[in-house]
Amino acid sequence: MRRVVITGCGVVSSVGLEKNSFWDSLVNAKSGVGEITHFDASEFDSRIAGEVKDFIPPSFLSHKDLRRTPRFVQFSIKATEEALAESGISSDKMDPYQIGTIIGTGVGSLETVEREYKILLEKGPRRLSPFMIPMLITNEAAGNVAIHFKLKGVNFCTVTACASGAHAIGEGYLAIKYGRATVMACGGTEACIVPLGVGGFCAVKGLSKRNHEPQRASRPFDRERDGFVMGEGAGMVVLEELEHAKKRGAFIYGELCGYGATCDAYHITAPDPEGGAASKAISLSLEEAKVNIDTKVYLNAHGTSTQLNDKMETKAIKMVFGSSAKDVMISSIKSMTGHTLGAAGAIEFITCCLTLKNKVAPPTINYENPDPECDLNYTPNEARPFEGEVALSNSLGFGGHNATLLVKKFK
């Protein structure tokens, strides 16, 4: 069976506009959460978010391109540019049909929906933009990345809410493993800090109302958590068949060798409180990678900072690891980035790669009040050394979608 390794990473986030600044922020416990500036949020229950600030799109996008390219797509192009540059992969140097692209997103461009619907109501249907549909649909991130980098292999979009980015990377892994591609550019992207997005999540009572102290609002696993904080950004990785990477002399972050995917089949938004399907996704990834539960591991939790999620995820981890659960080094970087929805799984998978590379586990900040039902090692408030060789990234989405990715140090 073909082996799959990671040879490039790219990030756009509220705590860094590329991979190195992103990592520096994480290990120094720096939060990217602040008051919403994208629009006047004064009438909303939640008025805080992890916005990407001072974003500069790739220089090869012309002014005309930028007008036709929504923010979530711009994020994905920028992150892909960084990941491809680091890997050294280019369609000029190999068969472009052997390079595929899978990019997940939860929502697509709500900004386009808002703007065009306003035009429809105020000026009529003949004033709608001919670019409205290609700007709003979710698969345009994968399509635009392929266009700009001439990647002609397998190409599609995963839409599984907050597990979208993880599923994109998992499906890219399978494409290489089973011989459908040699290289895959995979990840997730999201940019829906707009009135419809924030208002919608306020309506389902999912967001924190700790508006008076934004940087302390996202507090996964803390007893005083009151909901998640919306974020935006993108994460992209270059996955590559091992022998191809070795022949090129590429730098290898690690080997992606476990991917578990399940569904709660329980509720449209709430996770199954018993955690059975979420634990099964973790177990499947461990079994595929042939990793024993007593192995020293780092686990980047979904860790949303909601009452239901954090209790359930803790229970799921205990179901998998049993008496070893308290030895698992866990953290949720959503405490710093906010919840980037469809991008979260990809950004957090990159965090796992960087954890193995740098031998440091980032913290869960704002962890101050232990919750008796969340009693594991969440790496509170400060980064810690990590000498293990296995990292897992856990993602859970509305609709009951669960995905776990497992990366091992390459040997």
Side-chain angles (χ1 to χ4, degrees):
M1 195 67 72
R2 288 155 49 111
R3 296 170 67 185
V4 181
V5 294
I6 303 104
T7 57
C9 298
V11 178
V12 174
S13 77
S14 62
V15 298
L17 296 176
E18 40 72 44
K19 180 179 69 267
N20 292 334
S21 59
F22 163 76
W23 180 250
D24 285 346
S25 294
L26 294 188
V27 296
N28 287 294
K30 178 182 174 185
S31 172
V33 177
E35 293 182 1
I36 290 174
T37 63
H38 289 353
F39 64 95
D40 178 4
S42 57
E43 294 186 7
F44 291 72
D45 290 341
S46 181
R47 301 186 288 279
I48 53 178
E51 295 177 331
V52 173
K53 297 180 176 64
D54 303 320
F55 174 68
I56 302 173
S59 57
F60 56 77
L61 291 176
S62 67
H63 182 66
K64 189 175 178 181
D65 287 335
L66 291 174
R67 288 179 56 201
R68 298 174 176 179
T69 309
R71 187 171 171 89
F72 84 103
V73 174
Q74 291 181 22
F75 285 169
S76 67
I77 295 172
K78 181 74 171 180
T80 304
E81 180 186 38
E82 183 184 10
L84 287 173
E86 181 178 50
S87 73
I89 287 291
S90 166
S91 60
D92 294 336
K93 300 176 184 174
M94 62 180 287
D95 179 359
Y97 290 98
Q98 282 298 309
I99 313 174
T101 309
I102 306 174
I103 302 177
T105 185
V107 181
S109 182
L110 278 182
E111 184 179 22
T112 301
V113 173
E114 286 182 342
R115 182 182 63 246
E116 296 299 320
Y117 188 58
K118 187 169 186 287
I119 290 172
L120 175 69
L121 294 179
E122 294 178 353
K123 300 180 180 179
R126 293 185 179 180
R127 299 295 297 275
L128 289 172
S129 168
F131 296 102
M132 179 185 72
I133 297 300
M135 287 182 72
L136 70 87
I137 55 178
T138 53
N139 63 305
E140 283 297 331
N144 271 280
V145 163
I147 290 167
H148 286 287
F149 299 103
K150 309 300 180 192
L151 314 180
K152 297 187 176 182
V154 57
N155 187 303
F156 59 90
C157 170
T158 51
V159 184
T160 49
C162 305
S164 300
H167 277 127
I169 294 172
E171 295 302 309
Y173 157 69
L174 295 179
I176 295 174
K177 183 176 178 178
Y178 293 108
R180 296 179 62 200
T182 302
V183 173
M184 293 294 298
C186 300
T189 184
E190 203 77 83
C192 57
I193 302 174
V194 296
L196 264 180
V198 177
F201 282 110
C202 283
V204 297
K205 310 296 183 189
L207 299 183
S208 170
K209 298 178 185 176
R210 199 182 288 260
N211 298 305
H212 60 291
E213 45 184 4
Q215 298 195 344
R216 299 185 66 215
S218 182
R219 39 201 319 115
F221 305 108
D222 183 273
R223 190 184 61 223
E224 303 302 323
R225 64 194 183 277
D226 73 331
F228 72 87
V229 175
M230 284 183 69
E232 60 178 355
M236 289 294 297
V237 293
V238 173
L239 306 180
E240 188 169 354
E241 192 274 325
L242 173 61
E243 296 305 320
H244 188 269
K246 286 168 66 177
K247 283 180 185 174
R248 296 191 309 113
F251 170 76
I252 294 174
Y253 277 96
E255 180 177 2
L256 175 53
C257 48
Y259 169 40
T262 63
C263 184
D264 287 359
Y266 174 75
H267 191 271
I268 57 173
T269 56
D272 180 353
E274 298 305 315
S279 71
K280 183 68 174 177
I282 300 172
S283 295
L284 288 171
S285 72
L286 292 166
E287 289 167 16
E288 184 173 24
K290 297 181 173 53
V291 171
N292 296 321
I293 58 170
D294 56 356
T295 301
K296 189 172 185 177
V297 303
Y298 166 73
L299 190 151
N300 192 294
H302 192 60
T304 56
S305 181
T306 61
Q307 289 291 336
L308 290 177
N309 176 89
D310 295 357
K311 288 179 186 175
M312 182 281 288
E313 191 171 16
T314 297
K315 188 179 289 187
I317 293 168
K318 289 180 177 178
M319 289 172 69
V320 174
F321 291 96
S323 59
S324 301
K326 292 195 175 183
D327 297 327
V328 177
M329 187 173 282
I330 302 165
S331 67
S332 171
I333 66 165
K334 290 183 178 75
S335 58
M336 295 172 273
T337 62
H339 189 351
T340 55
L341 309 178
I347 292 174
E348 292 161 16
F349 176 73
I350 290 169
T351 302
C352 288
C353 294
L354 294 171
T355 294
L356 293 183
K357 175 177 179 284
N358 297 311
K359 299 182 179 180
V360 175
T364 304
I365 70 166
N366 300 322
Y367 183 86
E368 297 166 340
N369 310 288
D371 178 342
E373 295 186 71
C374 299
D375 56 352
L376 299 179
N377 173 15
Y378 305 109
T379 319
N381 303 314
E382 293 181 1
R384 304 281 199 282
F386 175 72
E387 296 293 340
E389 298 185 347
V390 175
L392 297 106
S393 179
N394 218 22
S395 296
L396 318 170
F398 277 5
H401 308 293
N402 309 304
T404 302
L405 300 167
L406 187 151
V407 57
K408 272 184 186 175
K409 201 164 193 175
F410 175 66
K411 292 182 178 177

